[in-house]
Structure formats: structure tokens, C-alpha cells
Amino acid sequence: MKRTNYLFAKLLWVFLLILGNSNLNAQSKPTQIETVSGKPIVVSSLDQHIEKAMDSLGIPGLSIAMINHSEIVYHKAFGVANMETQEPVTKNTIFEAASLSKPLFAYFMMKMVEEDLIDLDAPILPYLKQAMPEEAMAQVLDAKAMENYKLITPRLVLSHGTGIPNWPKGPIHFEFEPGTGFSYSGEAYQHLAAAFGTKLGIGWGGALDSLFLEKVAKPLGMKSSSYTWNDRIEENKATGHQKGKVNLEDHKYKKVGPGYSLHSEALDYAHFLVELMAPQHLSKLSIDEMLREQNHFKLDNELFLETGQTGWGLGFAQKPTPNGLMHLHTGNNHDFQAYAMFVPDRKYGFVMFANSDNLYPFLQELEKLIEKQF
């Protein structure tokens, strides 16, 4: 009898433990979250709004996350990874991050600055000369351009102050003397990756990506993010869509493209945004330097006139808002689009990835419920 009572008591204890854990798990998923201004939003209403907007705009798939008080409070996957096969998007589905590659690469560079592997204000030209034969360099830079190129530093690259156009065809002609203006340039980011990889003697392929994974992705808990192709991407990547049609052309990058080649998803990228608001793996001094305005827009700048953005830090654009300074970046690889923003004063962040070319009309629809995000 005592043995029976003992077994019964033990089974009851196990049952209550499981029940308690179940309740805890249920409570860990909030039924409402906050917008950037602090306005409460019911999660079920947000889900319904997202699904309705996706249906109306014909968006195939979406990965989205939101941050309240420096904690990820919302992460959902919607839709399909491929409109033809109807394979669903899951929380493991990976998207092209497009230009959201740039802010994360800027963080990577700041990590390398802290480890004394790169100097924000040292010219990158000496290392590029090691990577490129003199004859090839002469085809890209004439004598006048070479004089400008001598002034380019990582700081100017990360804040788009080099004067190098965005993906120029043929020889490089500077739009202004480095350090005197703003010119968005993925090309300049590529030069920085080449210079840094050459400086370390590892190039800018898989070895550079491995260094990124070791120093950035792994510490931040970014399990699905990489600048070069790997088996995880192969197994989980969504298919791109353009003009409502599947695009079967895939981008299996073997080299680090710091301006475009990142593959990721919303939860991973949200971990990065949390780090920028509540740093654990980079010093506050370095984060402050990243978020400090490095390149102030002139009054005739198109981004200032069209969107109200006032400048650029090291990686992110900046825009004053009633809730505080917003740091933001868009991404557009045409058949994949992405967007991320955060407001440190509110400890708020927002990020989304889509496998289509119509994410920004969707954002406008979403803003009707969750307030301005751009």
C-alpha cells in the first residue's frame, strides 16, 4: 500500500511539473505586444492583419519579428516558400537579406576594430594593391581616381562617404572627393571586404565568412545567417518571386558580398537588432560609434527630401521621429526584399523578409495597424 501511494505521489508530481511547464510556455507567448509608441496590439489581430495584407497584395512568403523593451516578443512565418509547390514558409525558412547585409557587416567590422584587426581610419588602398595586379588596378582607377582612392577608409565605406558610385560599370569615377558627401555604394563595401580579407591573408570567400560566423553570428545566436552558400541554406531557402512569378534562378554566393549576399530570416536579424540596443558582445563605446551620425545629408539629398532621413551612421540610415532617432535599412534583390529598423530610445525594433518584389506596399498596409515603421 505504501509503495502504491509512493508511486501515485511521484506520478502526480511529474504531472504537475509538466502542467506547470506547459503553463509557463503558454505564458511566454504574449497575447499582446507594443508598437513603437507603446500602443498595445493584440497578437491575434496582428496575425489577421498580416494575412489579409499578404492575400490582397499577393505576397508569397514572409518572416517577421518585433522587439519590445530589447526583447524579441513576436516572430512568425507566413505564406509559402514557393507559389508553385505551395511549400509553406516555416520559422526555419531562409531568405536573401539583400542590402540588410551591410549593417551586419558594419557590426562585424566594429568587432574587428575591437580586436585590432582593422583601423576605421586607415586607408584600404595598400591592401587592395596586394589583391589586385597593378595593370588591373590601372584599368579601374585612372590617375585622378587613384588620388581620391588613397583617402578611402573603412569609416567612409560604412557611412557611404567614399564618392564611389553604386556598382559602376567600367572605370571608377568619383562623384565627389572622399569625405565630402554622400553616395550609397555597395561597390565600396565590396572593396572593404577585399581589403580586409587580403590584410588577414584569407581572401573574401569561405574563410572570411567563417570568421564572421565565429565572431558575430554564433555569439549573437544567429543560426541561419551566412554570407556564403552552405547546406543549411540549400535545405531551407525560400524561392524568389518577381511580378507574381517564381524565379528559379538562385544566388549561391561563394564569395562574401557585404552589400548583398547575406542569407538570414527575421528571428536571426532581430537578435542583431537587440544587440545594438542592449549590447552583450560589443562594447557600448563601439555601438555608440556605429549609431553616431557619421555622414550628414545636405538639404538637396534625395533621401532627405523623400523620406526625411538626415544622415548615416556606420551601417544604418538615420531618421528623426517623434519616438526618437530611428536607425533603418532596406534590402532589395528584386525577387527578395527585406527591411529592418530600431529606435534605441524606445528599445523597439522591427524586421521582415519576403520572397517577392512587393514588400514595401505590404509595409504600408501593415503600418495602418502598427504605426509608422519607415
Side-chain angles (χ1 to χ4, degrees):
M1 184 68 178
K2 291 183 179 179
R3 176 67 177 173
T4 303
N5 290 340
Y6 169 77
L7 290 173
F8 175 78
K10 189 171 184 179
L11 287 171
L12 181 60
W13 178 82
V14 171
F15 172 76
L16 291 174
L17 181 63
I18 293 173
L19 181 63
N21 285 337
S22 298
N23 289 336
L24 181 62
N25 291 333
Q27 291 170 3
S28 66
K29 296 180 180 180
T31 57
Q32 69 176 28
I33 56 180
E34 296 177 2
T35 66
V36 63
S37 70
K39 173 187 172 183
I41 296 291
V42 176
V43 168
S44 59
S45 297
L46 175 58
D47 292 345
Q48 293 168 12
H49 192 89
I50 288 173
E51 290 169 350
K52 183 178 179 180
M54 288 178 68
D55 287 342
S56 66
L57 293 169
I59 290 183
L62 182 77
S63 177
I64 183 170
M66 294 176 68
I67 299 164
N68 287 170
H69 310 291
S70 298
E71 293 185 359
I72 300 169
V73 294
Y74 183 87
H75 173 231
K76 295 284 181 72
F78 296 89
V80 295
N82 184 309
M83 289 182 66
E84 292 182 353
T85 66
Q86 290 294 296
E87 176 187 353
V89 173
T90 72
K91 291 184 177 181
N92 294 320
T93 302
I94 296 174
F95 297 75
E96 290 184 17
S99 287
L100 259 61
S101 305
K102 294 182 179 73
L104 187 58
F105 188 79
Y107 176 92
F108 178 33
M109 290 296 96
M110 294 304 293
K111 186 70 175 176
M112 297 299 92
V113 168
E114 287 197 345
E115 296 192 9
D116 293 326
L117 293 177
I118 191 171
D119 186 330
L120 270 180
D121 298 305
I124 67 173
L125 180 59
Y127 305 109
L128 284 179
K129 284 184 174 180
Q130 296 177 30
M132 185 180 294
E134 188 173 341
E135 300 78 13
M137 183 75 75
Q139 293 178 5
V140 178
L141 299 167
D142 59 24
K144 182 178 179 181
M146 180 63 77
E147 289 305 305
N148 277 331
Y149 207 101
K150 292 177 181 178
L151 303 175
I152 293 179
T153 65
R155 185 186 302 276
L156 292 181
V157 171
L158 300 177
S159 59
H160 298 291
T162 64
I164 296 176
N166 192 32
W167 307 119
K169 296 180 179 180
I172 293 175
H173 299 287
F174 282 74
E175 298 184 359
F176 49 80
E177 180 180 318
T180 65
F182 175 86
S183 177
Y184 185 87
S185 180
E187 176 83 16
Y189 265 70
Q190 195 64 47
H191 292 202
L192 175 57
F196 179 64
T198 301
K199 179 180 185 294
L200 296 188
I202 61 175
W204 53 98
L208 182 59
D209 195 26
S210 293
L211 184 63
F212 158 77
L213 294 174
E214 174 192 349
K215 299 295 184 178
V216 175
K218 186 176 180 180
L220 295 184
M222 301 177 72
K223 300 178 181 179
S224 301
S225 299
S226 173
Y227 281 93
T228 59
W229 194 261
N230 58 38
D231 291 342
R232 187 182 182 95
I233 299 173
E234 180 82 44
E235 294 171 4
N236 295 288
K237 185 180 176 181
T239 303
H241 299 76
Q242 199 164 0
K243 296 181 179 179
K245 297 181 179 180
V246 171
N247 181 12
L248 295 178
E249 180 183 358
D250 220 340
H251 303 125
K252 299 185 178 182
Y253 302 112
K254 295 182 179 179
K255 300 287 187 180
V256 172
Y260 60 87
S261 75
L262 180 71
H263 283 82
S264 188
E265 52 82 38
L267 180 62
D268 260 26
Y269 212 87
H271 283 305
F272 168 48
L273 299 185
V274 168
E275 167 72 3
L276 296 173
M277 293 185 284
Q280 298 291 322
H281 304 282
L282 196 64
S283 71
K284 186 177 183 302
L285 185 66
S286 293
I287 296 294
D288 289 346
E289 189 66 17
M290 275 191 73
L291 303 187
R292 180 175 68 84
E293 183 183 75
Q294 304 275 342
N295 194 343
H296 187 71
F297 291 166
K298 296 178 181 177
L299 294 180
D300 61 351
N301 183 280
E302 290 184 6
L303 289 173
F304 172 73
L305 295 173
E306 294 176 6
T307 70
Q309 296 170 31
T310 54
W312 219 274
L314 299 178
F316 284 96
Q318 299 174 337
K319 177 180 179 178
T321 76
N323 296 299
L325 186 65
M326 178 191 298
H327 302 266
L328 66 150
H329 211 293
T330 60
N332 185 7
N333 278 358
H334 303 297
D335 57 341
F336 284 88
Q337 293 182 335
Y339 177 67
M341 62 80 83
F342 63 104
V343 180
D345 286 350
R346 303 293 301 183
K347 302 296 183 183
Y348 174 90
F350 173 86
V351 57
M352 60 181 182
F353 293 81
N355 57 337
S356 61
D357 58 354
N358 53 350
L359 180 63
Y360 301 112
F362 168 80
L363 178 59
Q364 292 177 331
E365 286 298 313
L366 191 57
E367 287 178 328
K368 293 177 181 178
L369 178 67
I370 65 171
E371 303 179 348
K372 294 292 290 183
Q373 306 291 310
F374 181 79

